[in-house]
């Protein structure tokens, strides 16, 4: 009798805080990413690394891949949980584990690999942004540009030479990068809907990180274009579970 095939297991390393609204309406951060990436028969675990909840070191090898999420925290900061996350990324990289980094996740992976994360001189990018894609195994069979929800004010400024820049925009020079065949960073938010974006705009306004006029203009601009959500989902699934 053939041995029963092992179920795929993935982890979400949650770097931000859920709100009651996001939990009720979208299932929170866990709901965003499982809706986009999870398939039948898989196990998905959530680790709130922002609260110090990390997978046990001995358990890391049991996972097929990890998603590192967005956050309102700075990837260039040195909070204890951020330093611990950097150590975990080094471990995952040494095991060639698949890692998909989104926004803050994209930035913190870049930092862990030896790159530099800084505050963008262009300021906040909150919009549906056109990402120019460079020829790469990651972007095969895709058009030369794809639109994507954005909500960030930090960016990766430099990456090690081993990393491959895959996408750029008018505001941000490194919108997407790959490292080997096991790491992919995306500055934007393929997991967002317009409702989720609007909620984060409201949270930023409430925290006085952006002004109300700026927030209103950002919402208006974001309604004028639709992101290429299905194409981004396909790209993420192909990387995370397929063969490049």
């Amino acid at each position: 009798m053939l041995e029963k095939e092992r179920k795929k297991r993935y982890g979400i390393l949650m770097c931000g805080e859920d709100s009651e609204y996001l939990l009720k309406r979208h299932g929170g951060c866990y709901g965003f990413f499982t809706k986009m990436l999870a398939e039948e028969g898989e196990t998905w675990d959530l680790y709130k690394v922002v609260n110090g909840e990390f997978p046990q070191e001995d358990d890391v090898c049991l996972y097929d891949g990890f998603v590192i999420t967005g956050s309102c925290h700075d990837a260039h900061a040195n909070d204890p949980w951020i330093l611990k996350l950097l150590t975990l990324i080094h471990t995952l990289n040494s095991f060639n584990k698949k890692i998909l980094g989104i926004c803050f996740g994209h930035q913190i992976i870049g930092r862990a690999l030896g790159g530099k994360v800084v505050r963008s001189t262009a300021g906040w990018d909150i919009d549906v942004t056109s990402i120019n894609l460079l020829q790469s195994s990651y972007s095969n069979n895709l058009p030369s540009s794809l639109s994507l929800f954005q909500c960030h004010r930090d960016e990766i400024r430099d990456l090690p030479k081993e990393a491959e820049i895959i996408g750029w925009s008018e505001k941000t020079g490194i919108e997407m990068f790959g490292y080997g065949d096991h790491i992919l960073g995306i500055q934007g938010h393929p997991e967002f809907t317009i409702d989720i974006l609007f909620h984060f705009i409201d949270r930023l306004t409430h925290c006085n990180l952006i002004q109300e006029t700026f927030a209103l203009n950002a919402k208006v601009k974001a309604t004028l274009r639709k992101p290429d959500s299905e194409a981004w989902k396909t790209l993420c699934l192909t990387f995370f579970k397929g063969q490049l």
Side-chain angles (χ1 to χ4, degrees):
M1 182 180 293
L2 292 175
E3 184 181 351
K4 187 176 181 181
E5 185 177 353
R6 182 182 67 86
K7 284 187 177 181
K8 296 287 188 179
R9 186 178 181 185
Y10 299 96
I12 298 173
L13 305 177
M14 180 175 163
C15 303
E17 296 84 6
D18 275 330
S19 68
E20 185 177 347
Y21 176 82
L22 291 177
L23 285 167
K24 286 184 175 179
R25 185 72 182 266
H26 300 283
C29 183
Y30 183 85
F32 304 166
F33 285 101
T34 53
K35 182 177 181 181
M36 181 174 75
L37 296 172
E39 297 176 300
E40 187 177 353
E42 297 173 346
T43 298
W44 283 76
D45 299 323
L46 178 69
Y47 294 97
K48 297 180 180 179
V49 295
V50 68
N51 294 334
E53 300 174 11
F54 284 79
Q56 295 295 318
E57 188 172 345
D58 292 343
D59 291 340
V60 166
C61 61
L62 302 177
Y63 286 87
D64 294 281
F66 288 87
V67 176
I68 306 179
T69 75
S71 177
C72 288
H73 296 271
D74 296 328
H76 46 79
N78 291 314
D79 303 47
W81 72 269
I82 290 178
L83 298 179
K84 189 172 182 179
L85 179 58
L86 289 168
T87 299
L88 176 58
I89 293 168
H90 291 149
T91 300
L92 297 177
N93 183 36
S94 70
F95 289 147
N96 285 332
K97 291 293 181 181
K98 286 287 182 84
I99 316 174
L100 174 63
I102 302 298
C103 197
F104 171 94
H106 158 89
Q107 296 165 8
I108 199 70
I109 295 171
R111 177 182 173 184
L113 295 174
K116 185 177 182 181
V117 181
V118 298
R119 193 76 87 214
S120 173
T121 56
W124 282 99
D125 186 4
I126 305 177
D127 203 346
V128 177
T129 300
S130 179
I131 311 301
N132 302 295
L133 300 178
L134 303 174
Q135 188 62 41
S136 164
S137 58
Y138 291 89
S139 57
N140 279 342
N141 304 315
L142 290 173
S144 59
S145 68
L146 290 172
S147 294
L148 181 64
F149 286 121
Q150 298 272 12
C151 187
H152 69 99
R153 63 173 174 175
D154 291 341
E155 64 174 332
I156 298 175
R157 183 63 51 81
D158 297 302
L159 281 169
K161 58 182 176 56
E162 297 85 2
E164 177 187 7
I165 298 175
I166 306 165
W168 60 277
S169 68
E170 290 185 4
K171 276 193 171 184
T172 304
I174 304 176
E175 287 280 5
M176 182 161 62
F177 76 92
Y179 188 89
D181 62 356
H182 62 289
I183 293 176
L184 179 65
I186 300 174
Q187 178 59 72
H189 287 277
E191 81 283 13
F192 270 20
T193 65
I194 191 71
D195 182 63
I196 295 171
L197 177 67
F198 280 13
H199 179 74
F200 276 100
I201 291 173
D202 290 341
R203 285 173 66 171
L204 292 173
T205 306
H206 180 73
C207 294
N208 294 316
L209 291 172
I210 59 175
Q211 300 298 314
E212 289 189 8
T213 302
F214 180 90
L216 180 60
N217 288 337
K219 287 182 177 181
V220 171
K221 286 196 301 178
T223 60
L224 299 178
R225 298 179 63 189
K226 287 188 176 182
D228 296 302
S229 300
E230 286 303 311
W232 285 105
K233 177 180 178 179
T234 299
L235 185 154
C236 290
L237 280 169
T238 301
F239 158 73
F240 210 48
K241 301 178 183 182
Q243 298 295 322
L244 292 174

